[in-house]
């Protein structure tokens, strides 16, 4: 199979592992997104080899697929430096438990999902004390910052399952065993369904909808939601009949979002939608979204998006020194050019946001068409199945080596 980059999948998901042997695979996911993707991987592992036993760190999603979770994810998914410092004791406790489980219930392979601070330390420990294959799925964002982690990955992992095509040359340059397996979000949104446009070609409709996605972290919501609401007011002055939907996808942030909206002068323009952002994707003609994975989801749903982001001035100065990538938006990184406008730091103000939105509204169909390139670059569905095949191949190669 090929994609627009000319890359091939070097794994055959039709190859069945030895189902007569019960396998034990440990999966370590430290954040909700890792739990989500880990659940799909657990399902694929069990489909390929029904007798497989999965243990590890995860959450309800992985447990729901039959994984034995020995440390719950909700104790680990800290966001921001202060929260991480506060949870150092818990993180140490989790690491000690992983070490104990490696000794008392050794797995045939260990799979690391994102969460690099914890998982790279774990990989180092495994390779220094055990002879167990290690696969990294959803690798650290070395293309953005901290590229020194590549040396650690090269030294302490056996294979990396990559989810972005632009990661391939980075890993090839370091001669790290890696495979582009596709992106798991393509499975989540398997096809671009036809969009039923309500607008006529002569002008904008009265029921045009703009989605506001303020982020998944409390600091992001505090900084960016008020700016989004300010911009909604400016946009509504031009088009009074526009509707604004605010995404509240995480339960713990629902009250915070409601408080900000209720105390804002433009609260009457907006309605809060709880649950998965897919509800907004299905209804919105355009989004203003905080930078993150949700913007890639928007691209796969063919919703034109303005990406915004702000951080503290100190963090921003540090990021400018460390971050190497030209864009912050995943869709832009995948295509190699700006298919979603980006407004960062001081540029992420109500005036710029509203001006960008207003300039895009008459050209929505053109912006939608550009987003088709994102799916083409990502390739076909099946990321978790390809990753599961890689893991079983690692186990079989390791067992063959041990038998020599």
């Amino acid at each position: 199979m090929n994609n627009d980059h000319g890359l091939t999948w070097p794994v055959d998901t039709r190859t069945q592992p030895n189902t007569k042997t019960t396998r034990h695979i440990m999966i370590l996911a430290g954040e909700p997104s890792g739990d989500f993707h880990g659940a799909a991987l657990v399902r694929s592992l069990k489909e390929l080899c029904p007798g497989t036993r999965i243990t590890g760190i995860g959450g309800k999603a992985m447990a729901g697929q039959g994984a034995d979770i020995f440390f719950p994810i909700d104790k680990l998914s800290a966001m921001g430096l202060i929260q991480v410092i506060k949870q150092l004791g818990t993180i140490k406790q989790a690491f000690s438990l992983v070490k104990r489980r490696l000794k008392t219930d050794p797995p045939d392979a260990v799979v690391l999902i994102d969460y690099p601070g914890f998982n790279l330390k774990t990989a180092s420990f495994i390779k220094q004390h055990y002879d167990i294959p290690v696969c990294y799925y959803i690798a650290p964002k070395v293309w953005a910052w901290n590229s020194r982690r590549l040396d650690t990955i090269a030294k302490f992992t056996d294979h990396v399952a990559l989810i972005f095509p632009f990661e391939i040359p980075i890993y090839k340059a370091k001669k790290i065993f890696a495979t582009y397996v596709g992106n798991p979000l393509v499975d989540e949104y398997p096809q671009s369904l036809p969009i039923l446009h309500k607008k006529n070609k002569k002008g904008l409709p009265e029921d045009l909808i703009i989605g506001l996605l303020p982020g998944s972290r409390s600091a992001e919501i505090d900084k960016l939601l008020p700016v989004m609401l300010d911009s909604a007011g400016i946009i509504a002055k031009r088009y009074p009949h526009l509707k604004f939907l605010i995404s509240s996808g995480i339960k713990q942030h629902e009250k915070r979002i409601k408080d900000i909206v209720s105390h804002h002068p433009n609260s009457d323009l907006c309605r809060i939608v709880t649950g998965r952002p897919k509800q907004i994707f299905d209804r919105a003609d355009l989004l203003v979204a905080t930078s993150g994975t949700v913007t890639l989801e928007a691209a796969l749903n063919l919703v034109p998006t303005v990406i915004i982001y702000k951080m503290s001035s100190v963090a921003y100065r540090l990021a400018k020194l460390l971050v190497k990538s030209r864009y912050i938006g995943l869709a832009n990184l995948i295509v190699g050019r700006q298919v979603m406008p980006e407004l960062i730091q001081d540029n992420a103000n109500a005036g710029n946001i509203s001006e960008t939105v207003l300039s895009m509204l008459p050209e929505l169909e053109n912006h939608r068409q550009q987003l088709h390139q994102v799916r083409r670059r990502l390739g076909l569905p099946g990321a978790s199945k390809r990753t599961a095949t890689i893991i079983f191949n690692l186990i079989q190669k390791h067992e063959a080596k041990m038998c020599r």
Side-chain angles (χ1 to χ4, degrees):
M1 286 181 285
N2 295 315
N3 60 19
D4 279 5
H5 284 262
L7 303 175
T8 59
W9 315 117
V11 287
D12 185 356
T13 55
R14 296 170 298 179
T15 302
Q16 295 294 321
N18 183 0
T19 54
K20 295 179 181 179
T21 305
T22 299
R23 307 295 191 188
H24 171 206
I25 297 171
M26 182 185 289
I27 299 178
L28 305 178
E31 296 174 311
S33 61
D35 178 46
F36 175 78
H37 296 307
L41 180 59
V42 172
R43 185 167 59 249
S44 293
L45 288 165
K46 287 181 174 289
E47 286 174 356
L48 278 175
C49 185
T52 301
R53 182 167 64 94
I54 313 289
T55 63
I57 294 176
K60 292 180 180 178
M62 286 172 57
Q65 293 298 324
D68 173 18
I69 303 301
F70 57 71
F71 198 93
I73 205 171
D74 55 4
K75 293 185 178 181
L76 282 177
S77 53
M79 294 178 178
L81 180 60
I82 301 301
Q83 289 185 40
V84 170
I85 291 172
K86 287 181 179 178
Q87 290 194 353
L88 283 176
T90 305
I91 294 170
K92 185 177 180 181
Q93 179 187 355
F95 187 64
S96 297
L97 184 54
V98 169
K99 290 195 291 185
R100 192 181 316 139
R101 295 293 292 244
L102 286 167
K103 183 177 181 180
T104 61
D105 188 18
D108 295 296
V110 175
V111 182
L112 313 173
I113 300 182
D114 206 356
Y115 205 54
F118 183 92
N119 276 335
L120 288 176
K121 182 180 178 182
T122 301
S124 173
F125 176 83
I126 291 169
K127 290 304 180 183
Q128 290 179 51
H129 296 88
Y130 299 95
D131 187 12
I132 299 172
V134 175
C135 177
Y136 215 128
Y137 177 45
I138 307 180
K141 297 176 178 63
V142 293
W143 39 268
W145 72 291
N146 206 347
S147 58
R148 289 175 298 178
R149 282 176 168 165
L150 281 167
D151 295 327
T152 306
I153 293 169
K155 189 174 182 181
F156 299 121
T157 69
D158 296 280
H159 206 104
V160 183
L162 303 173
I163 65 168
F164 297 115
F166 56 79
E167 293 176 309
I168 286 284
I170 298 171
Y171 282 79
K172 276 187 176 179
K174 284 287 186 177
K175 299 181 179 178
I176 298 171
F177 290 107
T179 302
Y180 174 58
V181 294
N183 194 286
L185 288 178
V186 176
D187 295 82
E188 179 71 4
Y189 306 108
Q191 57 184 343
S192 302
L193 298 175
I195 299 172
L196 299 176
H197 302 306
K198 298 178 182 178
K199 61 179 179 295
N200 59 59
K201 295 184 178 180
K202 294 181 180 179
L204 294 165
E206 293 189 351
D207 56 357
L208 199 71
I209 294 174
I210 294 178
L212 305 178
L213 284 68
S216 59
R217 305 183 181 191
S218 56
E220 292 172 344
I221 293 167
D222 289 343
K223 279 182 179 294
L224 296 171
L225 181 53
V227 179
M228 290 179 177
L229 293 169
D230 290 342
S231 65
I234 299 172
I235 296 165
K237 286 179 181 177
R238 176 81 68 87
Y239 299 108
H241 297 289
L242 284 176
K243 298 180 179 67
F244 295 87
L245 299 180
I246 301 172
S247 176
S248 176
I250 299 179
K251 189 74 174 177
Q252 69 195 66
H253 296 323
E254 193 172 326
K255 184 179 183 300
R256 182 187 296 269
I257 289 174
K258 286 180 177 177
D259 286 345
I260 293 173
V261 174
S262 64
H263 289 93
H264 196 279
N266 294 328
S267 60
D268 59 324
L269 299 174
C270 308
R271 187 163 72 82
I272 298 171
V273 178
T274 58
R276 299 284 306 277
K278 182 70 166 69
Q279 298 179 76
I280 302 241
F281 299 154
D282 288 342
R283 300 170 64 184
D285 297 271
L286 184 144
L287 305 175
V288 178
T290 299
S291 179
T293 304
V294 73
T295 63
L296 178 54
E297 295 180 70
L300 291 172
N301 281 271
L302 300 180
V303 189
T305 301
V306 179
I307 299 172
I308 69 171
Y309 204 76
K310 275 189 176 185
M311 59 189 81
S312 71
S313 56
V314 173
Y316 181 65
R317 286 197 295 269
L318 183 61
K320 286 194 74 173
L321 292 173
L322 297 176
V323 175
K324 308 296 183 185
S325 56
R326 183 178 178 185
Y327 304 111
I328 66 166
L330 289 171
N332 297 335
L333 285 163
I334 290 164
V335 176
R337 63 184 182 85
Q338 192 164 278
V339 292
M340 289 182 167
E342 297 182 359
L343 298 172
I344 313 303
Q345 207 61 7
D346 292 341
N347 288 326
N349 59 64
N352 285 343
I353 294 169
S354 57
E355 182 180 344
T356 304
V357 168
L358 290 169
S359 70
M360 292 174 68
L361 289 178
E363 300 290 336
L364 284 177
E365 188 55 37
N366 178 48
H367 289 287
R368 268 190 280 267
Q369 289 302 318
Q370 292 186 59
L371 296 179
H372 280 288
Q373 298 177 55
V374 178
R375 181 177 294 275
R376 286 196 292 267
R377 294 294 179 96
L378 289 177
L380 299 175
S384 63
K385 290 181 181 179
R386 295 184 191 98
T387 304
T389 302
I390 287 170
I391 294 162
F392 284 125
N393 286 343
L394 285 175
I395 293 173
Q396 291 174 348
K397 287 178 182 177
H398 180 257
E399 290 172 345
K401 182 184 73 173
M402 297 297 290
C403 289
R404 291 193 197 119

